[in-house]
Coordinates of all heavy atoms in Angstrom, one line a residue:
M109 N 20.6 1.2 15.4 CA 19.2 1.6 14.9 C 18.7 2.8 15.8 O 18.8 2.7 17.0 CB 18.3 0.4 15.1 CG 17.0 0.5 14.4 SD 17.2 0.5 12.6 CE 17.7 -1.1 12.3
R110 N 18.2 3.7 15.1 CA 17.6 4.9 15.8 C 16.3 4.6 16.3 O 15.6 3.7 15.8 CB 17.5 6.1 14.8 CG 18.8 6.7 14.4 CD 18.6 8.1 13.8 NE 17.8 8.0 12.6 CZ 18.2 8.2 11.4 NH1 19.5 8.3 11.2 NH2 17.4 8.2 10.3
P111 N 15.8 5.2 17.4 CA 14.5 5.0 17.9 C 13.5 5.6 16.9 O 13.8 6.4 16.1 CB 14.4 5.8 19.2 CG 15.6 6.7 19.2 CD 16.6 6.2 18.2
P112 N 12.2 5.0 16.9 CA 11.2 5.5 16.0 C 11.0 7.0 16.0 O 10.9 7.6 17.1 CB 9.9 4.7 16.4 CG 10.4 3.6 17.2 CD 11.7 4.0 17.8
H113 N 10.9 7.6 14.8 CA 10.7 9.0 14.7 C 10.3 9.2 13.3 O 11.1 9.0 12.3 CB 12.1 9.7 15.0 CG 12.0 11.2 15.0 ND1 12.3 12.0 13.9 CD2 11.6 12.1 16.0 CE1 12.1 13.3 14.2 NE2 11.7 13.3 15.4
C114 N 9.0 9.6 13.1 CA 8.5 9.7 11.7 C 9.3 10.7 10.9 O 9.4 11.9 11.3 CB 7.0 10.0 11.7 SG 6.3 10.2 10.0
F115 N 9.7 10.3 9.7 CA 10.5 11.2 8.8 C 9.7 12.4 8.4 O 10.2 13.5 8.2 CB 11.0 10.4 7.6 CG 11.7 11.2 6.6 CD1 13.0 11.5 6.8 CD2 11.1 11.6 5.4 CE1 13.7 12.3 5.8 CE2 11.7 12.3 4.5 CZ 13.1 12.7 4.7
V116 N 8.4 12.2 8.3 CA 7.5 13.3 7.7 C 7.1 14.2 8.8 O 7.3 15.5 8.8 CB 6.3 12.7 7.0 CG1 5.5 13.8 6.4 CG2 6.8 11.8 5.8
C117 N 6.4 13.7 9.9 CA 5.8 14.6 10.8 C 6.5 14.7 12.2 O 6.2 15.4 13.0 CB 4.3 14.2 11.1 SG 4.2 12.6 11.8
G118 N 7.5 13.8 12.3 CA 8.3 13.9 13.5 C 7.7 13.2 14.7 O 8.2 13.3 15.9
L119 N 6.6 12.4 14.5 CA 6.0 11.7 15.6 C 7.1 10.7 16.2 O 7.8 10.1 15.4 CB 4.8 10.8 15.0 CG 4.0 10.2 16.1 CD1 3.0 11.2 16.6 CD2 3.2 9.0 15.5
S120 N 7.2 10.7 17.5 CA 8.2 9.8 18.1 C 7.5 9.0 19.2 O 6.3 9.1 19.5 CB 9.3 10.6 18.7 OG 8.9 11.3 19.8
L121 N 8.3 8.2 19.9 CA 7.8 7.3 21.0 C 7.1 8.1 22.1 O 6.2 7.7 22.7 CB 8.9 6.5 21.6 CG 9.3 5.2 20.8 CD1 10.4 4.5 21.6 CD2 8.1 4.3 20.7
R122 N 7.6 9.3 22.3 CA 7.0 10.2 23.3 C 5.6 10.6 23.0 O 4.8 10.9 23.9 CB 7.8 11.5 23.5 CG 9.1 11.3 24.2 CD 9.7 12.7 24.6 NE 9.7 13.6 23.5 CZ 10.8 13.7 22.7 NH1 11.8 13.0 22.9 NH2 10.7 14.6 21.6
D123 N 5.2 10.5 21.7 CA 3.9 11.0 21.3 C 2.8 9.9 21.3 O 1.7 10.1 21.0 CB 4.0 11.6 19.9 CG 4.9 12.7 19.8 OD1 4.8 13.6 20.7 OD2 5.8 12.7 18.9
I124 N 3.3 8.6 21.6 CA 2.3 7.6 21.6 C 2.0 7.1 23.0 O 2.8 7.4 23.9 CB 2.7 6.4 20.7 CG1 3.9 5.6 21.3 CG2 2.9 6.8 19.3 CD1 4.2 4.3 20.5
D125 N 0.8 6.6 23.3 CA 0.5 6.1 24.6 C 1.3 4.9 25.0 O 1.7 4.1 24.2 CB -1.0 5.8 24.7 CG -1.9 7.0 24.4 OD1 -1.4 8.1 24.8 OD2 -3.0 6.9 23.9
D126 N 1.5 4.8 26.3 CA 2.3 3.6 26.8 C 1.7 2.3 26.4 O 2.4 1.3 26.2 CB 2.3 3.7 28.3 CG 3.2 4.8 28.8 OD1 4.0 5.3 28.0 OD2 3.2 5.2 30.0
D127 N 0.3 2.2 26.3 CA -0.2 0.9 25.9 C -0.3 0.7 24.4 O -0.8 -0.3 24.0 CB -1.6 0.8 26.6 CG -2.6 1.9 26.1 OD1 -2.1 2.8 25.4 OD2 -3.8 1.8 26.5
Q128 N 0.2 1.6 23.6 CA 0.2 1.4 22.2 C 1.4 0.7 21.8 O 2.5 0.9 22.3 CB 0.2 2.8 21.4 CG -1.2 3.3 21.2 CD -1.2 4.6 20.4 OE1 -0.6 5.6 20.9 NE2 -1.7 4.6 19.2
D129 N 1.2 -0.3 20.9 CA 2.4 -1.1 20.4 C 3.1 -0.3 19.4 O 2.6 0.2 18.4 CB 1.8 -2.4 19.8 CG 2.9 -3.2 19.2 OD1 4.1 -3.1 19.6 OD2 2.6 -3.9 18.2
L130 N 4.4 -0.1 19.6 CA 5.3 0.7 18.7 C 5.2 0.2 17.3 O 5.1 1.0 16.3 CB 6.7 0.6 19.3 CG 7.9 0.2 18.5 CD1 8.3 1.3 17.5 CD2 9.1 0.0 19.4
W131 N 5.1 -1.1 17.1 CA 5.1 -1.7 15.7 C 3.8 -1.5 15.0 O 3.7 -1.7 13.8 CB 5.5 -3.2 15.7 CG 6.9 -3.3 16.2 CD1 7.4 -3.7 17.4 CD2 8.1 -2.9 15.4 NE1 8.8 -3.6 17.5 CE2 9.2 -3.2 16.3 CE3 8.3 -2.5 14.1 CZ2 10.5 -3.0 15.8 CZ3 9.7 -2.2 13.7 CH2 10.7 -2.5 14.6
S132 N 2.7 -1.2 15.8 CA 1.4 -0.9 15.2 C 1.4 0.6 14.8 O 0.5 1.0 14.0 CB 0.3 -1.3 16.1 OG 0.2 -0.4 17.1
V133 N 2.3 1.4 15.3 CA 2.2 2.8 15.0 C 3.4 3.2 14.0 O 3.1 4.0 13.1 CB 2.4 3.7 16.3 CG1 2.5 5.2 16.0 CG2 1.3 3.4 17.3
F134 N 4.5 2.6 14.1 CA 5.7 2.9 13.3 C 6.1 1.8 12.4 O 5.9 0.6 12.7 CB 6.9 3.3 14.2 CG 6.7 4.5 15.0 CD1 6.3 4.4 16.3 CD2 6.9 5.8 14.4 CE1 6.2 5.6 17.1 CE2 6.7 6.9 15.2 CZ 6.3 6.8 16.5
T135 N 6.5 2.2 11.2 CA 7.0 1.2 10.2 C 8.4 1.7 9.8 O 8.6 2.8 9.5 CB 6.1 1.2 8.9 OG1 4.8 1.0 9.4 CG2 6.5 0.2 8.0
L136 N 9.3 0.7 9.8 CA 10.6 1.0 9.3 C 10.7 0.6 7.8 O 10.5 -0.5 7.5 CB 11.7 0.2 10.1 CG 13.1 0.5 9.8 CD1 13.5 1.9 10.3 CD2 14.0 -0.5 10.6
V137 N 10.9 1.6 7.0 CA 10.9 1.4 5.5 C 12.3 1.4 5.0 O 13.1 2.3 5.3 CB 10.1 2.4 4.8 CG1 10.1 2.2 3.3 CG2 8.6 2.4 5.3
T138 N 12.7 0.4 4.2 CA 14.0 0.3 3.6 C 13.9 0.7 2.1 O 13.1 0.2 1.4 CB 14.5 -1.1 3.7 OG1 14.5 -1.5 5.1 CG2 15.9 -1.2 3.2
F139 N 14.8 1.6 1.7 CA 14.8 2.0 0.3 C 16.0 1.4 -0.4 O 16.9 0.8 0.2 CB 14.9 3.6 0.2 CG 13.8 4.3 0.9 CD1 13.9 4.7 2.2 CD2 12.6 4.4 0.2 CE1 12.8 5.4 2.8 CE2 11.5 5.1 0.8 CZ 11.6 5.5 2.1
E140 N 16.1 1.6 -1.7 CA 17.1 1.0 -2.5 C 18.5 1.7 -2.3 O 18.5 2.9 -1.9 CB 16.8 1.1 -4.0 CG 15.8 0.1 -4.4 CD 16.3 -1.3 -4.2 OE1 17.4 -1.6 -4.6 OE2 15.5 -2.1 -3.6
L141 N 19.5 1.0 -2.6 CA 20.9 1.5 -2.5 C 21.5 1.4 -3.9 O 21.1 0.6 -4.7 CB 21.7 0.6 -1.6 CG 21.4 0.6 -0.1 CD1 22.0 -0.6 0.6 CD2 21.8 1.9 0.5
T142 N 22.5 2.2 -4.1 CA 23.3 2.1 -5.4 C 24.2 0.8 -5.2 O 24.4 0.3 -4.1 CB 24.2 3.3 -5.6 OG1 25.1 3.4 -4.5 CG2 23.4 4.5 -5.8
H143 N 24.8 0.4 -6.3 CA 25.6 -0.8 -6.2 C 26.8 -0.5 -5.3 O 27.2 -1.4 -4.4 CB 26.1 -1.1 -7.6 CG 27.0 -2.4 -7.6 ND1 26.4 -3.6 -7.4 CD2 28.3 -2.6 -7.8 CE1 27.4 -4.5 -7.4 NE2 28.5 -3.9 -7.7
E144 N 27.4 0.7 -5.3 CA 28.5 1.0 -4.5 C 28.1 1.0 -3.0 O 28.9 0.5 -2.1 CB 29.1 2.4 -4.8 CG 29.8 2.5 -6.2 CD 28.8 2.4 -7.4 OE1 27.6 2.7 -7.2 OE2 29.3 2.1 -8.5
E145 N 26.9 1.5 -2.7 CA 26.5 1.6 -1.3 C 26.2 0.1 -0.8 O 26.5 -0.1 0.4 CB 25.2 2.4 -1.2 CG 25.5 3.9 -1.4 CD 24.2 4.7 -1.5 OE1 23.2 4.1 -2.0 OE2 24.2 5.9 -1.2
K146 N 25.7 -0.7 -1.7 CA 25.5 -2.1 -1.2 C 26.8 -2.8 -0.9 O 26.9 -3.5 0.1 CB 24.8 -2.9 -2.4 CG 23.3 -2.7 -2.4 CD 22.6 -3.6 -3.4 CE 21.2 -3.3 -3.6 NZ 20.6 -3.6 -4.8
T147 N 27.8 -2.5 -1.7 CA 29.1 -3.1 -1.4 C 29.6 -2.6 -0.1 O 30.1 -3.3 0.8 CB 30.1 -2.8 -2.5 OG1 29.4 -3.1 -3.8 CG2 31.4 -3.5 -2.4
A148 N 29.5 -1.3 0.1 CA 29.9 -0.7 1.4 C 29.2 -1.2 2.6 O 29.8 -1.5 3.6 CB 29.8 0.8 1.3
H149 N 27.9 -1.4 2.4 CA 27.1 -2.0 3.5 C 27.5 -3.4 3.9 O 27.6 -3.7 5.1 CB 25.6 -2.0 3.1 CG 24.9 -0.7 3.4 ND1 23.6 -0.6 3.9 CD2 25.3 0.5 3.2 CE1 23.3 0.6 4.0 NE2 24.3 1.4 3.5
Q150 N 27.8 -4.2 2.8 CA 28.2 -5.6 3.1 C 29.5 -5.6 3.9 O 29.7 -6.4 4.8 CB 28.3 -6.3 1.8 CG 27.0 -6.8 1.3 CD 26.9 -7.1 -0.2 OE1 28.0 -7.1 -0.9 NE2 25.8 -7.3 -0.7
A151 N 30.5 -4.7 3.5 CA 31.7 -4.6 4.2 C 31.5 -4.2 5.6 O 32.2 -4.7 6.5 CB 32.7 -3.7 3.5
R152 N 30.6 -3.3 5.8 CA 30.3 -2.8 7.1 C 29.7 -3.9 8.0 O 30.0 -4.0 9.2 CB 29.3 -1.6 7.0 CG 29.5 -0.5 8.0 CD 28.9 0.8 7.5 NE 27.4 0.6 7.2 CZ 26.6 1.6 6.8 NH1 27.1 2.8 6.7 NH2 25.4 1.3 6.5
D153 N 28.8 -4.6 7.4 CA 28.1 -5.7 8.1 C 29.1 -6.7 8.6 O 29.1 -7.2 9.7 CB 27.1 -6.4 7.3 CG 25.8 -5.5 7.1 OD1 25.7 -4.5 7.8 OD2 25.0 -5.9 6.2
R154 N 30.1 -7.0 7.7 CA 31.1 -8.0 8.1 C 31.9 -7.5 9.2 O 32.5 -8.3 10.0 CB 32.0 -8.3 6.9 CG 31.4 -9.4 5.9 CD 32.4 -9.9 5.0 NE 33.0 -8.9 4.2 CZ 32.5 -8.6 3.0 NH1 31.4 -9.2 2.5 NH2 33.1 -7.7 2.2
S155 N 32.1 -6.2 9.4 CA 32.9 -5.7 10.5 C 32.1 -5.6 11.8 O 32.6 -5.1 12.8 CB 33.5 -4.3 10.1 OG 32.5 -3.4 10.1
G156 N 30.8 -6.0 11.7 CA 30.0 -6.0 13.0 C 29.4 -4.7 13.3 O 29.0 -4.4 14.4
W157 N 29.3 -3.8 12.3 CA 28.7 -2.4 12.5 C 27.2 -2.6 12.9 O 26.5 -3.4 12.3 CB 28.9 -1.7 11.2 CG 28.4 -0.2 11.3 CD1 29.1 0.8 11.8 CD2 27.2 0.3 10.7 NE1 28.4 2.0 11.6 CE2 27.2 1.7 11.0 CE3 26.1 -0.3 10.1 CZ2 26.1 2.5 10.6 CZ3 25.0 0.5 9.7 CH2 25.1 1.9 10.0
V158 N 26.8 -1.8 13.9 CA 25.4 -1.9 14.3 C 24.7 -0.5 14.3 O 23.8 -0.2 15.2 CB 25.2 -2.5 15.7 CG1 25.5 -4.0 15.6 CG2 26.1 -1.8 16.7
G159 N 25.1 0.4 13.4 CA 24.4 1.7 13.4 C 23.1 1.7 12.6 O 22.6 0.6 12.3
H160 N 22.6 2.9 12.3 CA 21.4 3.0 11.5 C 21.7 3.2 10.1 O 22.3 4.2 9.7 CB 20.6 4.2 12.1 CG 19.2 4.3 11.5 ND1 18.1 3.8 12.2 CD2 18.7 4.8 10.3 CE1 17.0 4.0 11.4 NE2 17.4 4.6 10.3
P161 N 21.4 2.2 9.2 CA 21.7 2.4 7.8 C 21.0 3.6 7.2 O 19.8 3.9 7.5 CB 21.1 1.1 7.1 CG 20.7 0.2 8.3 CD 20.6 1.0 9.5
E162 N 21.7 4.3 6.3 CA 21.1 5.5 5.8 C 19.9 5.3 4.9 O 19.1 6.2 4.6 CB 22.2 6.3 5.0 CG 22.8 5.7 3.8 CD 24.0 4.9 4.1 OE1 24.0 4.0 5.0 OE2 25.1 5.1 3.5
N163 N 19.7 4.0 4.4 CA 18.6 3.8 3.5 C 17.3 3.3 4.2 O 16.4 2.8 3.6 CB 19.0 2.8 2.4 CG 19.3 1.4 3.0 OD1 20.0 1.3 4.0 ND2 18.8 0.4 2.3
T164 N 17.3 3.4 5.5 CA 16.1 3.1 6.3 C 15.6 4.3 7.1 O 16.4 5.0 7.6 CB 16.3 1.9 7.2 OG1 17.2 2.3 8.3 CG2 16.8 0.6 6.5
E165 N 14.3 4.4 7.1 CA 13.7 5.5 7.8 C 12.4 5.1 8.5 O 11.7 4.2 8.0 CB 13.3 6.7 6.9 CG 14.5 7.6 6.5 CD 15.1 8.4 7.7 OE1 14.4 8.6 8.7 OE2 16.2 8.8 7.5
W166 N 12.1 5.7 9.6 CA 10.9 5.4 10.3 C 9.7 6.3 9.8 O 9.9 7.5 9.5 CB 11.0 5.7 11.8 CG 11.8 4.8 12.6 CD1 13.1 5.0 13.0 CD2 11.5 3.5 13.0 NE1 13.6 3.9 13.7 CE2 12.6 3.0 13.7 CE3 10.3 2.7 12.9 CZ2 12.6 1.7 14.3 CZ3 10.3 1.4 13.5 CH2 11.5 0.9 14.2
F167 N 8.5 5.7 9.7 CA 7.3 6.4 9.3 C 6.2 6.0 10.2 O 6.1 4.8 10.6 CB 7.0 6.1 7.8 CG 8.0 6.7 6.9 CD1 9.1 5.9 6.5 CD2 7.9 8.0 6.4 CE1 10.1 6.4 5.7 CE2 8.9 8.5 5.5 CZ 10.0 7.7 5.2
C168 N 5.3 6.9 10.5 CA 4.1 6.6 11.3 C 3.1 6.0 10.4 O 3.2 6.1 9.2 CB 3.6 7.8 12.1 SG 2.8 9.0 11.0
N169 N 2.0 5.5 11.0 CA 0.9 5.0 10.2 C 0.4 5.9 9.1 O 0.1 5.5 8.0 CB -0.4 4.9 11.1 CG -0.2 3.7 12.0 OD1 0.6 2.9 11.7 ND2 -1.0 3.7 13.1
Q170 N 0.3 7.2 9.4 CA -0.2 8.2 8.5 C 0.7 8.3 7.3 O 0.2 8.7 6.2 CB -0.2 9.6 9.2 CG -0.9 9.6 10.5 CD -2.3 10.1 10.3 OE1 -2.7 10.7 9.3 NE2 -3.2 9.7 11.2
H171 N 2.0 8.1 7.4 CA 2.9 8.4 6.4 C 3.6 7.2 5.8 O 4.4 7.4 4.8 CB 3.9 9.5 6.8 CG 3.3 10.8 7.3 ND1 3.3 11.2 8.5 CD2 2.6 11.6 6.5 CE1 2.6 12.4 8.6 NE2 2.1 12.6 7.4
A172 N 3.4 6.1 6.3 CA 4.1 4.8 5.9 C 3.8 4.6 4.4 O 4.7 4.2 3.6 CB 3.7 3.6 6.7
A173 N 2.6 4.9 3.9 CA 2.2 4.6 2.5 C 3.1 5.4 1.6 O 3.5 4.9 0.5 CB 0.7 4.8 2.3
L174 N 3.3 6.7 2.0 CA 4.2 7.5 1.1 C 5.5 6.9 0.9 O 6.1 7.0 -0.2 CB 4.4 8.9 1.8 CG 3.3 9.8 2.0 CD1 3.7 11.0 2.9 CD2 2.8 10.3 0.7
A175 N 6.0 6.3 1.9 CA 7.4 5.7 1.9 C 7.3 4.4 1.1 O 8.2 4.1 0.3 CB 7.9 5.5 3.3
Q176 N 6.3 3.6 1.4 CA 6.2 2.2 0.8 C 6.1 2.3 -0.7 O 6.6 1.5 -1.4 CB 5.1 1.4 1.5 CG 5.7 0.8 2.8 CD 4.6 0.4 3.8 OE1 3.5 0.8 3.6 NE2 5.0 -0.4 4.8
E177 N 5.3 3.3 -1.1 CA 5.1 3.4 -2.6 C 6.4 3.9 -3.3 O 6.5 3.9 -4.5 CB 3.9 4.3 -3.0 CG 4.1 5.7 -2.6 CD 2.7 6.5 -2.6 OE1 1.7 5.8 -2.5 OE2 2.7 7.7 -2.7
R178 N 7.4 4.4 -2.5 CA 8.7 4.8 -3.1 C 9.8 3.9 -2.7 O 11.0 4.2 -2.9 CB 9.0 6.2 -2.6 CG 8.1 7.3 -3.2 CD 8.3 8.7 -2.6 NE 7.6 9.7 -3.3 CZ 6.3 9.9 -3.0 NH1 5.6 9.2 -2.1 NH2 5.6 10.9 -3.7
S179 N 9.5 2.8 -2.1 CA 10.6 1.9 -1.5 C 11.5 1.3 -2.6 O 12.6 0.8 -2.4 CB 10.1 0.9 -0.6 OG 9.3 0.0 -1.3
H180 N 11.0 1.3 -3.9 CA 11.8 0.8 -5.0 C 12.8 1.9 -5.5 O 13.6 1.6 -6.4 CB 10.8 0.4 -6.1 CG 10.1 1.5 -6.7 ND1 9.0 2.1 -6.0 CD2 10.2 2.3 -7.8 CE1 8.5 3.1 -6.7 NE2 9.2 3.2 -7.8
L181 N 12.6 3.1 -5.0 CA 13.5 4.2 -5.4 C 14.8 4.2 -4.6 O 14.8 3.7 -3.4 CB 12.8 5.6 -5.3 CG 11.6 5.8 -6.1 CD1 10.9 7.1 -5.7 CD2 11.9 5.8 -7.6
H182 N 15.8 4.9 -5.1 CA 17.0 5.1 -4.2 C 16.6 5.9 -3.0 O 15.8 6.8 -3.2 CB 18.1 5.8 -5.1 CG 19.4 5.9 -4.3 ND1 19.8 7.1 -3.8 CD2 20.3 5.0 -3.9 CE1 20.9 6.9 -3.1 NE2 21.3 5.7 -3.2
W183 N 17.2 5.6 -1.9 CA 16.8 6.3 -0.7 C 16.9 7.8 -0.7 O 16.0 8.6 -0.3 CB 17.5 5.8 0.6 CG 19.0 6.0 0.5 CD1 20.0 5.2 0.0 CD2 19.7 7.2 1.1 NE1 21.2 5.8 0.1 CE2 21.1 7.0 0.8 CE3 19.3 8.3 1.8 CZ2 22.1 7.9 1.3 CZ3 20.3 9.2 2.3 CH2 21.7 9.0 2.0
R184 N 17.9 8.3 -1.4 CA 18.1 9.8 -1.5 C 16.9 10.4 -2.3 O 16.4 11.5 -2.0 CB 19.4 10.1 -2.2 CG 20.2 11.2 -1.5 CD 21.4 11.5 -2.3 NE 22.6 10.7 -2.0 CZ 23.3 10.9 -0.9 NH1 23.1 11.9 -0.1 NH2 24.3 10.0 -0.6
T185 N 16.6 9.8 -3.4 CA 15.5 10.2 -4.3 C 14.2 10.2 -3.6 O 13.4 11.1 -3.6 CB 15.4 9.3 -5.6 OG1 16.7 9.2 -6.1 CG2 14.4 9.8 -6.6
A186 N 13.9 9.0 -2.9 CA 12.7 8.8 -2.2 C 12.5 9.8 -1.1 O 11.4 10.5 -1.0 CB 12.6 7.4 -1.7
L187 N 13.5 10.0 -0.3 CA 13.4 11.0 0.8 C 13.3 12.4 0.3 O 12.5 13.2 0.9 CB 14.6 10.8 1.8 CG 14.7 9.4 2.5 CD1 15.9 9.4 3.4 CD2 13.4 9.1 3.3
S188 N 14.0 12.7 -0.8 CA 13.8 14.1 -1.2 C 12.5 14.4 -1.8 O 11.9 15.5 -1.6 CB 15.0 14.5 -2.1 OG 14.9 13.9 -3.3
E189 N 11.9 13.4 -2.5 CA 10.5 13.5 -3.0 C 9.6 13.7 -1.8 O 8.7 14.5 -1.9 CB 10.1 12.3 -3.8 CG 10.5 12.4 -5.2 CD 9.8 11.2 -6.0 OE1 8.8 10.7 -5.6 OE2 10.4 10.8 -7.0
I190 N 9.7 12.9 -0.8 CA 8.8 12.9 0.3 C 8.9 14.3 1.0 O 7.9 14.9 1.3 CB 9.0 11.7 1.3 CG1 8.7 10.4 0.6 CG2 8.2 11.9 2.5 CD1 9.1 9.2 1.3
S191 N 10.2 14.7 1.2 CA 10.3 16.0 1.9 C 9.8 17.2 1.1 O 9.2 18.1 1.6 CB 11.7 16.3 2.4 OG 12.6 15.5 1.9
A192 N 10.0 17.1 -0.2 CA 9.6 18.2 -1.1 C 8.1 18.3 -1.1 O 7.5 19.4 -1.1 CB 10.0 17.9 -2.5
T193 N 7.4 17.2 -1.0 CA 5.9 17.3 -1.1 C 5.2 17.4 0.3 O 4.1 17.8 0.4 CB 5.3 16.1 -1.9 OG1 5.9 14.9 -1.4 CG2 5.6 16.2 -3.4
H194 N 5.9 16.9 1.3 CA 5.2 16.8 2.6 C 5.9 17.5 3.7 O 5.4 17.6 4.8 CB 5.0 15.3 3.0 CG 4.1 14.6 2.0 ND1 2.8 14.7 2.1 CD2 4.4 13.9 0.9 CE1 2.2 14.1 1.1 NE2 3.2 13.6 0.3
R195 N 7.1 18.1 3.5 CA 7.7 18.9 4.5 C 8.2 20.2 4.0 O 9.3 20.5 3.9 CB 9.0 18.1 5.1 CG 8.6 17.0 5.9 CD 9.7 16.7 6.9 NE 11.0 16.6 6.3 CZ 12.1 16.1 6.9 NH1 12.0 15.6 8.1 NH2 13.2 16.0 6.3
P196 N 7.2 21.1 3.6 CA 7.6 22.3 2.9 C 8.4 23.3 3.8 O 9.1 24.1 3.4 CB 6.2 23.0 2.6 CG 5.2 22.3 3.5 CD 5.8 20.9 3.7
D197 N 8.3 23.1 5.2 CA 9.0 24.0 6.1 C 10.4 23.7 6.3 O 11.1 24.5 6.9 CB 8.3 24.0 7.5 CG 6.8 24.4 7.3 OD1 6.5 25.1 6.3 OD2 6.1 24.0 8.2
T198 N 10.9 22.5 5.8 CA 12.3 22.2 6.2 C 13.1 22.1 4.9 O 12.6 21.8 3.9 CB 12.3 20.8 6.9 OG1 11.6 19.8 6.2 CG2 11.8 20.9 8.3
Ligands
ZN219 ZN1 4.2 10.8 10.3

């Protein structure tokens, strides 16, 4: 699992105060996978893989709603929509 880092604005743990609860600032949003990806994930889980799944991303309070309203979409679609509308510079 990667450390919290907002997909939209890049807010990270360094940007929050020490007394702020990480889970009150950041939300991990899981998006949909294709059938093939689900099968691959299941095989990976059985092998004890502990990386960061490609269909999950961190979002800060400000941007979590953008992600949650797209969590029913495939992760690639959801993330490209979010970056198209909210990250014009990248
Ligand atoms: Zn953000």
